[in-house]
Amino acid sequence: MSSSKTKISEEERIKLAEKLDRDLDEFIGSLEQKRYKDGWSEENWQEEFDRHPFFMKKAPEPGEEIHPMLEGLQQLKFDPEENSPEELAEKYKEDGNYWMKHKKYRIAIMNYTEGLNHSSGHENKELIANLYNNRSLAQFLLQNYRSAYVDAQNALKYKSKYDKVKLRIIKCNMELKKYDEACKDVEKFILEDPSNKDLIDVQKTALAKKAEKLRNERKAQMEEKKKRQEFQTLVQVLIQRNVKFEEIQRGDLISLLSIETIRPKIEPLENFPVSLDQQGSLYWPIVFCYPEFTITDILQRTHEMQTLNECLDDMFSSDETSAHNYKNPKSLHIYFENRLKCQVYKANPIIPIKDVVSDINFYIYNGYLMFYVLPPNSKAESDFLNQKKGFLKLLKK
């Protein structure tokens, strides 16, 4: 049975093609229009591209969101069902090395620790030694010298001939200023390897550091002895000057007086306690209070032979804009307080401070001399003298 195909003209073929195109357009146009939401938008494509495991240029930072595909790869990489304990330890070591190169030492330590956690499942001593050594280095770079020392010692247990570990043990002791231990260790290691130049060099450094430490200790002991002697001399002079301290009312001043007692308890004077020069003269820290203005002046080192008037002259002449710029400082009245008797006494402003401090009623409190300055026959002076301990509040402002 024969069949024959109907031939169409070129014009008919063109019309048929146009009809098919129109039908296709109509079909596409009839489809529901939906926006593709799961793709990379113009705004975030670069970010998504950089997060994709196949294209990322750097590993995620700690705490940063991990791409689901990367998370899956990591789980697969460290799956205990897919890896033996030795393989897991090796992979954790590789990850730790990666973070070491990027100076993320704490993350590296975490990876080395995970690797060591799988060490009980295999007997690869070389790998265990490497993990301890690498963790020791990371701890050392973080200045955790004790932890670095412990890890280095553990590494040496699994690999006795481990030169870089031996050096780190010595360096850890040196950083911890344990120069005796460092010298003992390096001596032991040199006996095992007499030709090791690095050990010989570090031995020289350790011996030099040990000698320097001994010198510094001797120097510190001599300085401490000198300070004690100077303080005892100062105490003797204070006793000779009949100086009294409110904190020590009874007993032997020599045995009870301490550096803490004479240290001024006010911030600008803390580093200026009473001192003694080579000629046997005392220098006092002094606070002058002006109740009229509720302000103070401070003198850090005042020679005991100066008078109170001379102190006021010096302060007022150098502070012309002060609120207490009295026209005639020599006419001012100066008082000191005996807290034990709850009494105020008038000081003689023209005699040396040495004699004022020796007064039977003068007691030092908080390590410095305290005086109150007031204009004579003024309301401020009257109010001050009639107060009952109220003036003590002035010191706390």
Side-chain angles (χ1 to χ4, degrees), residues 164-338:
K164 61 174 67 175
V165 168
K166 294 177 180 179
L167 286 171
R168 193 172 305 115
I169 288 173
I170 300 165
K171 290 179 180 179
C172 286
N173 275 326
M174 291 174 64
E175 291 292 344
L176 294 169
K177 302 189 186 307
K178 296 182 178 181
Y179 302 119
D180 287 336
E181 289 84 346
C183 290
K184 291 177 183 177
D185 286 335
V186 73
E187 184 177 355
K188 179 180 69 175
F189 295 149
I190 288 178
L191 287 175
E192 298 170 358
D193 187 5
S195 61
N196 191 312
K197 185 178 182 300
D198 291 333
L199 289 173
I200 294 172
D201 289 341
V202 80
Q203 183 185 42
K204 295 177 182 177
T205 304
L207 290 171
K209 288 289 186 180
K210 179 181 177 180
E212 181 183 4
K213 181 184 179 182
L214 292 173
R215 286 196 302 271
N216 291 338
E217 288 176 350
R218 288 194 298 269
K219 183 178 178 181
Q221 291 172 356
M222 292 175 62
E223 290 177 353
E224 183 62 27
K225 181 179 179 181
K226 181 181 178 182
K227 286 181 180 179
R228 287 197 302 268
Q229 291 174 343
E230 290 176 349
F231 182 73
Q232 291 302 319
T233 303
L234 172 63
V235 172
Q236 293 289 347
V237 173
L238 292 173
I239 293 173
Q240 292 171 7
R241 301 282 200 278
N242 194 32
V243 176
K244 299 171 289 299
F245 291 85
E246 183 178 317
E247 294 88 346
I248 305 175
Q249 299 177 34
R250 295 183 179 84
D252 182 15
L253 196 64
I254 295 179
S255 60
L256 296 177
L257 192 60
S258 65
I259 294 176
E260 181 61 23
T261 306
I262 68 170
R263 184 180 65 84
K265 311 303 187 298
I266 185 171
E267 187 173 347
L269 296 175
E270 284 182 345
N271 297 321
F272 298 92
V274 58
S275 58
L276 186 70
D277 66 13
Q278 294 182 348
Q279 287 71 41
S281 297
L282 293 174
Y283 287 81
W284 287 101
I286 304 179
V287 175
F288 287 93
C289 288
Y290 306 91
E292 185 177 12
F293 306 105
T294 64
I295 58 176
T296 59
D297 273 330
I298 291 176
L299 298 179
Q300 294 175 334
R301 295 184 79 250
T302 304
H303 195 283
E304 65 177 348
M305 296 309 294
Q306 274 193 271
T307 67
L308 294 174
N309 272 348
E310 289 172 344
C311 292
L312 293 180
D313 284 338
D314 292 342
M315 289 187 297
F316 291 177
S317 63
S318 62
D319 191 8
E320 297 178 357
T321 62
S322 174
H324 54 65
N325 186 21
Y326 297 110
K327 293 181 179 180
N328 185 12
K330 288 184 173 62
S331 68
L332 297 172
H333 288 172
I334 304 175
Y335 296 90
F336 64 85
E337 173 209 0
N338 184 318

Side-chain angles (χ1 to χ4, degrees), residues 129-180:
N130 289 341
L131 286 166
Y132 274 120
N133 168 61
N134 293 357
R135 193 171 71 173
S136 170
L137 175 58
Q139 296 282 19
F140 188 90
L141 294 173
L142 289 172
Q143 299 182 3
N144 298 331
Y145 300 121
R146 288 182 176 82
S147 297
Y149 175 83
V150 171
D151 277 345
Q153 290 282 14
N154 285 327
L156 211 57
K157 293 177 183 177
Y158 289 92
K159 184 179 177 181
S160 59
K161 295 182 179 180
Y162 212 156
D163 290 345
K164 61 174 67 175
V165 168
K166 294 177 180 179
L167 286 171
R168 193 172 305 115
I169 288 173
I170 300 165
K171 290 179 180 179
C172 286
N173 275 326
M174 291 174 64
E175 291 292 344
L176 294 169
K177 302 189 186 307
K178 296 182 178 181
Y179 302 119
D180 287 336

Side-chain angles (χ1 to χ4, degrees), residues 53 66-79 82-83:
I66 300 176
H67 193 282
M69 186 178 294
L70 177 60
E71 187 175 5
L73 290 172
Q74 288 180 332
Q75 291 176 355
L76 182 62
K77 178 180 179 181
F78 297 105
D79 189 345
E82 299 291 335
N83 299 273

Side-chain angles (χ1 to χ4, degrees), residues 80 83-92 115 118-122 127:
N83 299 273
S84 67
E86 184 176 347
E87 289 172 335
L88 285 172
E90 184 65 41
K91 289 179 179 180
Y92 278 116
H118 292 84
S119 62
S120 59
H122 66 88
L127 176 57

Side-chain angles (χ1 to χ4, degrees), residues 341-383:
K341 295 181 179 180
C342 297
Q343 294 290 326
V344 176
Y345 298 89
K346 189 175 180 181
N348 187 340
I350 62 174
I351 64 174
I353 293 173
K354 170 184 175 182
D355 296 330
V356 176
V357 175
S358 298
D359 188 286
I360 190 173
N361 291 306
F362 196 98
Y363 279 79
I364 297 171
Y365 176 67
N366 276 343
Y368 53 87
L369 311 184
M370 171 74 78
F371 296 101
Y372 300 89
V373 182
L374 289 145
N377 304 317
S378 64
K379 183 178 183 302
E381 182 181 40
S382 177
D383 292 343

